């Protein structure tokens, strides 16, 4: 089905509604969990340290339970992007950040019609909402050239999204943003590289056996934007914990196909919960890596490799 553009007013109304609802639910969740801003705590703290004239890579050290158990693993542009939220209470900062990110993502998705909205029903999006993650903002930035500079906040996903939809304006704005971050803290690239040496458990998906190497077959369709996205994500390190896989929801080309893909993601999520989570303590016994490869990455590859014009009940409109 040919995508049709939505009237600007309806597009803006729906984007605002999605942003308000997602931000409100995120706020309730963060307030209930009492873990500050969850994953957004790191850039929120880094932004506050920057305002105090301190180096966040020195100040943020492993010193307790989540969300204080690791270093600041983000590049400095993430801290700069978090500056508007620095003076707010942590849980409110995380909720506002996620709500704005979701609204911008909805605005970006709706520029080509309704078919990509099932993204908001996927397991990766819900997991991102539960942890106030960056991924919705990064996906939105990849679709909107004027926001491409935000891809520098999470470069492992940002690079894949840039090769999905490259443009000169986005590249120029990104370089300016990185230059601004260097002016704020000239040592940050070396500080960042030093702390990321401590980072483990973020393998490129193509290295994960037995299914990972199959993802390299996306190179057979490298002229397609979706194939470049899938190949880029396969080659770049990431946390295989659902939310980093949200960009793959740019591949479905129909609403029905997006719903089917979201259903597969929930099958992966609940299969992992059934086998990988202790029902009594909630302790993670097994990471969801293989479930994500089998039920998220592999279906994405099949979307790309399915012969043109060949009918398939679920995938023919991808």
């Amino acid at each position: 089905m040919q995508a049709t553009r939505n009237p600007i007013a309806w597009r803006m109304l729906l984007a605002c509604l999605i942003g308000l609802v997602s931000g409100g639910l995120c706020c309730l969740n963060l307030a209930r969990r009492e873990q500050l801003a969850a994953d957004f705590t790191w850039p929120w703290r880094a932004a506050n340290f920057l305002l105090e004239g301190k180096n966040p890579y020195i100040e943020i050290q492993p010193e307790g339970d989540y969300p204080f158990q690791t270093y600041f693993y983000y590049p400095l542009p993430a801290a700069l992007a978090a500056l508007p939220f620095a003076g707010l209470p942590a849980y409110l900062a995380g909720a506002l950040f996620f709500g704005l990110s979701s609204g911008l993502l909805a605005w970006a998705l709706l520029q080509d019609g309704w078919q990509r909205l099932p993204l908001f029903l996927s397991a990766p999006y819900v997991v991102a909402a539960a942890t106030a993650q960056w991924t919705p903002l990064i996906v939105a930035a990849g679709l909107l050239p004027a926001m491409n500079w935000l891809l520098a906040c999470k470069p492992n996903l940002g690079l894949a999204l840039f090769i999905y939809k490259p443009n000169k304006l986005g590249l120029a704005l990104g370089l300016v943003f990185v230059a601004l971050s260097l002016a704020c803290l000239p040592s940050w690239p070396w500080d960042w590289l030093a702390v990321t040496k401590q980072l483990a458990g973020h393998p490129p998906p193509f290295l994960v056996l037995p299914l990972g190497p199959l993802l390299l077959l996306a190179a057979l369709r490298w002229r397609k934007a979706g194939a470049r996205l899938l190949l880029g994500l396969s080659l770049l390190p990431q946390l295989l914990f659902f939310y980093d896989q949200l960009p793959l929801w740019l591949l479905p080309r129909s609403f029905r196909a997006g719903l089917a893909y979201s259903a597969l993601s929930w099958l992966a999520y609940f299969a992992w919960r059934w086998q990988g989570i202790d029902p009594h303590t909630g302790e993670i016994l097994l990471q969801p890596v293989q479930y994500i490869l089998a039920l998220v990455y592999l279906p994405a590859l099949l979307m790309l490799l399915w012969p043109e014009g060949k009918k398939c009940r679920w995938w023919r409109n991808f």
Side-chain angles (χ1 to χ4, degrees):
M1 181 177 64
Q2 183 68 29
T4 57
R5 292 187 177 274
N6 293 311
I8 294 296
W10 283 105
R11 182 181 167 198
M12 183 175 296
L13 178 62
L14 186 54
C16 289
L17 180 62
I18 289 174
L20 286 171
V21 171
S22 59
L25 292 176
C26 184
C27 185
L28 291 174
N29 179 63
L30 292 176
R32 176 184 60 83
R33 291 175 61 182
E34 297 183 345
Q35 292 176 326
L36 297 184
D39 284 3
F40 189 65
T41 301
W42 280 273
W44 174 78
R45 292 181 67 200
N48 279 286
F49 283 126
L50 281 180
L51 291 177
E52 296 172 6
K54 298 177 180 178
N55 185 336
Y57 296 100
I58 295 175
E59 299 297 328
I60 298 178
Q61 299 287 324
E63 55 186 7
D65 296 328
Y66 177 84
F68 294 98
Q69 83 281 16
T70 65
Y71 298 96
F72 178 54
Y73 289 130
Y74 293 87
L76 195 70
L80 295 183
L83 283 174
F85 309 95
L88 300 173
Y91 76 94
L92 183 58
L96 283 174
F97 168 77
F98 191 80
L100 286 170
S101 300
S102 297
L104 287 169
L105 177 57
W107 173 263
L109 295 175
L110 286 166
Q111 65 186 334
D112 293 320
W114 305 87
Q115 66 269 17
R116 287 173 169 169
L117 289 185
L119 173 150
F120 293 105
L121 302 176
S122 68
Y125 177 77
V126 174
V127 174
T131 53
Q133 252 291 330
W134 282 83
T135 325
L137 182 62
I138 299 302
V139 176
L143 295 174
L144 300 170
M147 289 182 57
N148 271 185
W149 53 277
L150 286 167
L151 297 178
C153 297
K154 198 163 184 177
N156 60 328
L157 301 184
L159 180 58
L161 281 156
F162 183 76
I163 63 174
Y164 168 73
K165 195 175 181 180
N167 68 91
K168 294 180 180 179
L169 173 62
L171 180 60
L173 292 175
L175 292 174
V176 170
F177 190 37
V178 172
L180 178 62
S181 69
L182 288 169
C184 292
L185 185 63
S187 67
W188 81 257
W190 294 270
D191 298 335
W192 178 51
L193 290 173
V195 298
T196 54
K197 289 179 180 179
Q198 314 296 323
L199 188 59
H202 291 64
F206 87 97
L207 290 178
V208 179
L209 299 175
L211 296 176
L214 293 175
L215 301 179
L216 298 179
L217 292 173
L220 297 174
R221 298 286 191 270
W222 68 272
R223 292 181 182 275
K224 291 186 175 182
R228 294 194 300 271
L229 175 64
L230 176 57
L231 187 61
L233 289 172
S234 301
L235 295 173
L236 292 165
Q238 63 198 252
L239 184 61
L240 289 163
F241 203 83
F242 293 101
Y243 49 74
D244 274 357
Q245 290 70 61
L246 189 65
L248 292 173
W249 265 255
L250 298 178
L251 298 183
R253 295 182 181 179
S254 73
F255 191 87
R256 181 175 58 180
L259 286 177
Y261 194 40
S262 292
L264 280 177
S265 73
W266 283 111
L267 180 60
Y269 179 81
F270 285 116
W272 164 66
R273 295 278 306 185
W274 180 49
Q275 290 194 321
I277 301 291
D278 189 307
H280 304 292
T281 66
E283 180 185 358
I284 296 177
L285 306 175
L286 177 70
Q287 294 295 323
V289 173
Q290 297 297 342
Y291 300 97
I292 290 172
L293 282 171
L295 294 170
V296 177
Y297 266 106
L298 195 57
L301 178 65
L302 293 176
M303 296 178 209
L304 295 171
L305 298 183
W306 194 263
E308 294 288 342
K310 188 174 179 63
K311 291 184 178 181
C312 179
R313 184 178 179 185
W314 280 3
W315 311 115
R316 62 183 177 183
N317 291 321
F318 278 57

